[in-house]
Amino acid sequence: MKNSNQHRLLRRQIRKYLKDGDQVPESFLEAINEAYHSFDKDLRQAENILELSSKALFVANKELKRKADSKAAEADALSERLARIVNNVQEVIFQTDLNGCWTFLNSAWERITGYTVEESLGTSFTDMVFPEDKETSMYHLSELVNGTEKTSRYNLRYITKSGEIRWTEAIVTLDIDAEGRLLGASGTLTDINARYVAEEKLRQASNNLNQAQTLTKLGSFEHPLHAEGSSYWSGQMFKLLSRPGHKQPNLEDLLTAIDEPHQQRLRESIIALKEYSREINMEVPVNKGSAWMMVRAEKQKGRLNRGDVISGTLMDITQRKSFEKELIASKLMAEKALAAKSEFLSNMSHEIRTPMNAIVGLTEIILREEELSAQAKRNLELVEYSADNLLVIINDILDYSKIEANKIDLEKIPFNLRKALGKLLDTWRLKADGKKVALKLDWDEQIPETLLGDPYRLNQILLNLISNALKFTKEGSVTIKAKMQADLGERFDILFEVRDTGIGIPESKLKSIFESFTQAYTDTTRNFGGTGLGLAISKRLIELQEGKIWVESKVGEGSSFFFNVILGLSTDGLVETPELDTSVSSNLNGIDILVAEDNKVNQMLIKQVCKNWNANISIADNGRIAVEKSKVQAYDVILMDLQMPELNGFEAVEKIREDDANLNLNTPILALTADAMPETKTYVERSGFNGYVTKPFKSESLLREITLCMESRAQSK
Ligand code: ADP
């Protein structure tokens, strides 16, 4: 074997162990040499592989490091992101240890409680809980620990750092590790203060509404008008209609609860509501009339884009209905009583007036007799005075009762106010002159002479005031003033004043004298007569004419009564009453008068009066006889009593005026009546009569009326 081919390790072994001369078989050396070479080869190969692996390991290691670095950065970013999210959420996210002390809180904690996270960590979770709610949170925690609940959810109040109370909702779960060991608790706290307060307010409002509905027995409802949709009834609705509260109501439930025929009417009203939006306001009976309800409903736009709804209320009006019934019954009773009273007074006055007619008439006739002794004359004059007074009282009482029964109808006719005042003063002049009292008229030229109103009632008021003024004035003057207070266009506000220089009225009585049956002094009736009704009647009559009455007075100096009334402007011409021709009395000489009168004393009285005028008298005992007589003889004038047996005055006149063949078809007919009310006068004039004389009458007034009637008839011929 060549040396050069020998492996260096073999060479070193041969040098180390073989001495010169040692014989080693060549093949053995060659085998070892080859083994060394083959080992070298393997070693080189192994070294190669090792180098390659170490290179790969290095690369892999580098890659791993890079990956690890990037994962760590990612983890950092994630945890930063998580921290941001955790701190940004509105809810408090918390964790506690086993002792219930905060181990984690996000920054929402600070926003809600005002405490910083740092100062709170380590403190007990119950420290800031509102005292009354501590028990609640402990209870829920124990439920968790006992395993009754997995998560508990409850509301509790916290006291903030500034001392305010805040409502929160807590959601709590227990923290348990993989081995089942309890670590503590974690969860969230949500600030529900605003929601809770709003809900509380809503609850309160709803409670109030329910309470109000219960108290007023009022229910509310809402039903869809067209489309399908849910209906709503308040709790009170179910109670009012005795329906089970759990049932979902519908419009049909409401309708069928109502008794017929109102149910049908309400159905029709709902159709009208649908089609014409006509509101419903209806009183309906329910439960066979045992209760009454008021249904009010209207169409309203449905909320949240839902179709139109019928929205309304139902109110229990059973009690009101029964009151109403009672009220109507008592009103009817009161009206009946008032009518009865009015009729009684009217009859009474009629009954009193008829004999009064005899007293007044016969006294007048006897007073004319010349052979009377002075004493008898004085006595008779007293009888006449008393009878006159009695008549005033009767008239006042009758008037007052009519006013009380609201039975006064005011006229609206044209009249000359200035002339009316003039005439009124003329009638009182004699009395004034006798008392040395000057009677004056102060007229405002701005007042139109012809006005529209009720001259009779105005006359009555002035007559009462003037009569009082003269009654309570011994000397001095009584002045009647009429002044235009305001021109209201077609209407005028006229102010009247009746001023006297009489005894005056104490201040304390200035108001009460306008009340019925009230006089300023207790001895007034004794000294001056009167009933204390005049001013009360005047006041009501003035108020009916949209006016007021008041008085200014000083005791010992005199009184001024003021009143105003609203009068219209008359556009129609005034029908002037013809002035009386005083010579006419002689015209009654020989005329034929038919007198229909059932009262024998009155028959006698009229006969005597007419005898003085030389007229021919024919008496009919009742209306029927008068009609018979009117068919066979033409009379110049007919005097007709209104209340007679068989046929009364109105019926008799109707028969005469309706019969074209009647000889007295156009004969003037005068009503003779004991009913002195102005209404009767108007009614009489509309019923075919030509005039009107109230009983008791003085012969001049009868003469005057007969003459006026005959004259106007002569003029119209
Ligand atoms: P009567 O005159 O019938 O008593 P009135 O109602 O007319 O009833 O008057 C009520 C009271 O008012 C009179 O009684 C009187 O006391 C007082 N009174 C009315 N007018 C006058 C007046 N002009 N002067 C003084 N007192 C008067």
Side-chain angles (χ1 to χ4, degrees), residues 392 396 464-473 498-500 502-506 509 512-521 524-525 528-538 551 553 558-561:
V392 171
D396 273 2
N464 179 42
L465 296 182
I466 298 171
S467 141
N468 276 349
L470 282 171
K471 192 158 76 173
F472 296 109
T473 306
V498 178
R499 190 173 60 235
D500 65 53
I503 60 169
I505 304 160
K509 302 281 175 182
S512 62
I513 52 165
F514 293 103
E515 286 160 21
S516 45
F517 304 107
T518 309
Q519 297 179 318
Y521 299 98
T524 304
T525 308
F528 302 97
T531 54
L533 275 178
L535 286 178
I537 292 171
S538 300
V551 62
S553 182
S559 315
S560 277
F561 280 84

Side-chain angles (χ1 to χ4, degrees), residues 126 129 137 207 219 241 383 446 472 489 505 507 519-520 560-561 567 582 587 590 605 610 654:
T126 54
V129 172
S137 33
N207 275 349
L241 297 178
V383 172
Q446 279 189 329
F472 296 109
I505 304 160
E507 210 185 323
Q519 297 179 318
S560 277
F561 280 84
L567 295 171
T582 41
N587 291 351
L605 176 72
C610 294
E654 203 181 321

Side-chain angles (χ1 to χ4, degrees), residues 594 624-635 655-656 659 661-664:
L594 172 64
R624 186 186 50 76
I625 299 172
V627 175
E628 294 303 315
K629 287 196 165 203
S630 71
K631 286 181 185 164
V632 288
Q633 189 189 336
Y635 294 96
K655 286 216 170 334
I656 295 170
D659 178 8
N662 193 298
L663 296 173
N664 294 283

Side-chain angles (χ1 to χ4, degrees), residues 174-190:
L174 294 181
D175 274 349
I176 297 166
D177 70 5
E179 275 82 47
R181 279 187 303 254
L182 180 61
L183 304 175
S186 60
T188 58
L189 285 174
T190 311

